[in-house]
Amino acid sequence: MIDIRLLLTNDFFGSFARQTTSWGSIPGGDALRAEVDRLRTEVQKSVWLDVGDFAGGGPLSPATEQEMGWAAALELGFDAAVPGNHEFDYGDLPALAWSRRARFPLIAADRELLGLGDVFVPYRIFDGATGRRTAVIGINCAERRGRTVWDRAGDLEAAAERVLAHAAKLQTEADHILVAIHEGVPKSGDSPAPGERLNVFCATIRGHVDAVLGAHTLQRHVGDIAGVPYIQPWALGVEIGILDIHDDGRTELGGSIVPTTSDKADTSTGWSGPGSALLNELTSEIVGHIDRPLAEPTVAGTASFADAVTRGMLAVTGADVALSTTIELGCGQVPLDGVKTYLPAGPVTAADVIRSLPWPTGTRGDELWLAQLDENDVERLTRLGLDIAIPTGVPSYRALRDQNRPYGRTVLSSNYVRNARRLLGRDVEWTPTGFGLRDAFRAWLREGIA
């Protein structure tokens, strides 16, 4: 008999609306909720746990400075959740205010988050159908706005220490101890290399916890890491991970693909909850047309989304050279086939633009900066690569230059700026342009380059 079933999601990232992808479609919020409801009927005691990044992302969040993103997420129906990094896209204060409205516990044992007040709890204990008790320790372990730390090795070491401390206390209170951490595997597959940092983390807590529930990287893994059962389902509502704890103490990992249809009343976007009217409006607003699909990275039959946005940077700023990084241009869909952003041929809507470039306006990830660089500077930045500090192995995108103009005024996306300060090895004056990546993409669409 199954004592308790955990239904796991992560990195929903504002995917309340249905979305066409390179491999099929993202089902949307109503379909996700309906599938969870169906799965609940199979087991007497079920808990829906989200492992972070449920309120950030597009299109609702960027369009309303995260107000409707939070409002919609809180109505999905979680039983508990770990706050991810994108819950803090608009700062700590809005995240804390919305967290207090949640009717479910937000679990985070990080000293930094617990220090923000009584909003978060370090763990939550759930009673099973046969009387067994399962404790879930939450770990945020990811950057937040105002705390930009791409090299998070120290964070994982501290996270393991926190897990061990709480696990020791919980030995007398719970029969099973799980860790839900907003950090995950860098690659997907049946037996991918888990990454050195995550491998060390799991090895450190082995023997003290029953399983680790992962997130953050938009990848998938169901199996063991360093001898610890580990489950991270596909993100954006595409898959619900299943962890069953039986009455004999066995822990069993599984998975369930979410259907792409829903029996809910709303049929236009796939979401009938808070923000549905705005989603209808954004998906009805046509901002341009493309003759063939755009993808990042490109696959057969598609054009480069990164090329379109980077050329749009030249158009919107009047610069001579434009540089952008793939970390900013590749979060529009789950990469089941390696593609992270995809727009089908035909009309491009306002929702498509925001979903493909979902970063908060005027913040790192969206804003564009201008500098006076020479040919050697641009060559150095392009050769060295600007994603080297990001632990995903994603290469940087190449520089694009207007061939009719000399090297000089160079516009960079903000992730480039952060690393360029270090890689150039000299002081450079950076000026904000007042434009962002979404402005650049719209400019590309307006100029008819599509």
Side-chain angles (χ1 to χ4, degrees), residues 12 14 19 34 56 62 126 133 135 155 242-243 254 263 275 305 351 383 429:
F12 184 63
Q19 172 193 343
F126 299 96
R133 310 190 81 204
D155 286 355
I242 296 177
L243 186 150
D263 60 359
F305 176 71
R383 174 170 50 85
E429 183 179 351

Side-chain angles (χ1 to χ4, degrees), residues 96 100 106 108 110-122:
L96 294 175
R100 289 190 176 94
L106 286 159
D110 310 71
R111 293 183 189 276
E112 191 173 11
L113 291 187
L114 292 177
L116 295 176
D118 59 356
V119 179
F120 307 111
V121 296

